[in-house]
């Protein structure tokens, strides 16, 4: 059962543009929502995360928007750069139950120069 | 660099064989997680340890087992290997099991021939 659905599967953006990746979850018990960035041949790197008590979190060019009622959250990358080209994974976990991460399918982002 | 180390980086072995993957968590982290990444299944949680004790199990086959040692390093043992076990295996660590932030190692690429 896929509990976290991610879209789009791939995304091409021009340098300086905004990249938007969306995720939807089913389990209302999830209470921690991170985004990971993965470059080829590397492990996923924690990028930014949010908990359900806030609707938005911003760190530099990266912003998470969270809609608890719709059970959706999204990653916005402002002023996208070629160096942002990577695969992005959303995930969700229940911190009170050990925090195992359930991942979305991933989005391959390409930022053209 | 996340501070999580994994060895070996690559492993090529034959069907029916047994291998051991090793992980050292970040300094101070007590909880270790193992994940499998494959093209068809994505990133899947396998098993979690906290301070030497098994904490949670996910989609881990009976042919697979793991343990966490007193120095907190962890080993994932894969036996009776099949072609379908070929994947990237990641270890992640967190300070404690009820904290969502997990930091991933560089992974071990297992190829079963």
């Amino acid at each position: 059962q896929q509990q976290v659905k991610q879209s789009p599967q791939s995304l091409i953006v021009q340098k300086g543009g905004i990249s938007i990746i969306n995720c939807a979850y089913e389990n209302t018990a999830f209470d921690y929502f991170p985004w990971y960035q993965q470059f080829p041949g590397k492990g996923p790197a924690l990028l930014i995360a949010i908990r359900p008590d806030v609707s938005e979190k911003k760190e530099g060019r990266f912003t998470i928007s969270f809609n608890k009622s719709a059970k959706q959250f999204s990653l916005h990358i402002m002023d996208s750069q070629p160096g942002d080209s990577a695969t992005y994974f959303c995930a969700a976990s229940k911190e009170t139950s050990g925090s195992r991460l359930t991942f979305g399918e991933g989005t391959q982002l390409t930022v053209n120069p | 660099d996340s501070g999580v180390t994994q060895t070996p980086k690559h492993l090529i072995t034959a069907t029916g064989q047994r291998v051991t993957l090793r992980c050292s968590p970040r300094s101070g982290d007590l909880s270790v997680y193992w994940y499998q990444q494959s093209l068809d299944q994505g990133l899947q949680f396998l098993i979690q340890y906290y301070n030497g004790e098994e904490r949670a199990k996910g989609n881990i086959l009976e042919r697979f087992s793991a343990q966490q040692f007193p120095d907190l390093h962890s080993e994932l043992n894969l036996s009776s290997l099949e072609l379908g076990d070929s994947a990237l295996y990641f270890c992640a660590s967190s300070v404690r099991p009820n904290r969502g932030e997990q930091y991933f190692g560089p992974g071990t690429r297992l190829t079963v021939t």
Side-chain angles (χ1 to χ4, degrees):
Chain A
Q1 180 189 5
Q2 179 57 262
Q3 294 191 53
V4 179
K5 294 193 175 182
Q6 183 172 345
S7 63
Q9 190 173 4
S10 63
L11 181 62
I12 299 174
V13 174
Q14 291 300 118
K15 179 182 175 181
I18 302 174
S19 304
I20 301 173
I21 305 171
N22 301 299
C23 282
Y25 63 96
E26 299 170 7
N27 189 342
T28 56
F30 286 145
D31 55 13
Y32 177 75
F33 302 88
W35 284 89
Y36 283 83
Q37 179 189 57
Q38 186 177 27
F39 292 103
K42 305 290 186 184
L46 181 60
L47 195 59
I48 187 172
I50 198 167
R51 292 181 172 86
D53 52 342
V54 296
S55 60
E56 186 174 281
K57 182 174 181 181
K58 184 175 180 179
E59 288 184 4
R61 296 185 293 110
F62 301 91
T63 300
I64 298 180
S65 297
F66 184 80
N67 186 329
K68 189 174 180 178
S69 61
K71 294 188 287 184
Q72 294 175 347
F73 58 111
S74 60
L75 176 69
H76 291 63
I77 306 174
M78 311 300 288
D79 187 27
S80 299
Q81 299 296 312
D84 297 331
S85 298
T87 301
Y88 292 81
F89 292 92
C90 62
S93 70
K94 291 186 287 183
E95 288 188 302
T96 52
S97 299
S99 300
R100 65 162 80 176
L101 291 168
T102 299
F103 283 90
E105 301 92 332
T107 296
Q108 183 144 7
L109 172 66
T110 301
V111 181
N112 288 327
Chain B
D1 183 2
S2 67
V4 178
T5 61
Q6 288 187 250
T7 57
K9 192 169 177 64
H10 300 281
L11 202 49
I12 301 174
T13 189
T15 54
Q17 295 300 304
R18 173 189 168 94
V19 297
T20 297
L21 313 183
R22 183 188 169 103
C23 165
S24 292
R26 294 188 320 159
S27 176
D29 284 359
L30 301 179
S31 196
V32 168
Y33 306 76
W34 286 96
Y35 293 86
Q36 180 193 59
Q37 185 175 35
S38 61
L39 283 174
D40 55 343
Q41 296 290 323
L43 267 162
Q44 298 271 325
F45 167 74
L46 295 178
I47 196 164
Q48 177 197 7
Y49 279 82
Y50 171 59
N51 210 16
E53 299 291 324
E54 182 183 301
R55 190 66 185 236
K57 263 185 174 179
N59 300 322
I60 188 166
L61 300 170
E62 285 193 10
R63 300 183 285 108
F64 296 1
S65 65
Q67 54 184 326
Q68 186 180 27
F69 295 86
D71 67 352
L72 301 177
H73 91 271
S74 178
E75 293 180 357
L76 179 67
N77 300 295
L78 314 177
S79 61
S80 302
L81 285 167
E82 303 175 359
L83 295 177
D85 298 327
S86 296
L88 274 164
Y89 291 85
F90 290 105
C91 166
S93 72
S94 67
V95 171
R96 53 184 186 273
N98 62 347
R99 287 299 295 179
E101 293 87 353
Q102 292 181 27
Y103 298 89
F104 281 71
T108 293
R109 180 175 292 279
L110 174 66
T111 302
V112 182
T113 61

